[in-house]
Amino acid sequence: TIYYKKSPDVLRGEKKPDGTYEYETQVTYWMPFVYGQGLHDASWQTSFGGDTYKTKGSHGCINLPVDKAKLLYEKVYKGMPVLCHN
């Protein structure tokens, strides 16, 4: 289920011994649902769908175009079920 919604947010990778993170990425729409993974906008992606995931994937999240993430963000709610399949 959707744990919560946050706009904006910064997604961070694991903390390294020097106190920095593997990555820090600003997103406008963040909707986590399992193990730190979630739905979010990915303005840095140049395309979506097809086999894009093979070369321009994520760290496990579901990347969305900004406009689609906004629409989804407006519709989802805390506790909403999320079903993933391939």
Side-chain angles (χ1 to χ4, degrees):
T1 62
I2 298 290
Y3 293 150
Y4 62 89
K5 302 184 327 182
K6 189 171 179 190
S7 178
D9 203 4
V10 176
L11 307 180
R12 292 181 175 90
E14 300 237 357
K15 198 171 199 178
K16 299 188 291 187
D18 67 3
T20 62
Y21 293 92
E22 291 176 342
Y23 62 88
E24 290 185 278
T25 304
Q26 177 79 33
V27 296
T28 303
Y29 306 103
W30 173 229
M31 301 157 272
F33 59 85
V34 66
Y35 306 120
Q37 308 305 309
L39 304 145
H40 63 76
D41 55 300
S43 59
W44 57 90
Q45 295 286 19
T46 56
S47 64
F48 296 88
D51 62 357
T52 301
Y53 70 94
K54 292 181 180 178
T55 58
K56 297 179 184 173
S58 72
H59 294 97
C61 288
I62 297 171
N63 291 336
L64 299 164
V66 176
D67 61 330
K68 302 301 183 200
K70 180 181 186 296
L71 287 171
L72 192 59
Y73 189 86
E74 293 169 350
K75 304 270 186 213
V76 303
Y77 54 87
K78 180 181 176 181
M80 180 180 223
V82 176
L83 303 174
C84 298
H85 64 88
N86 57 11

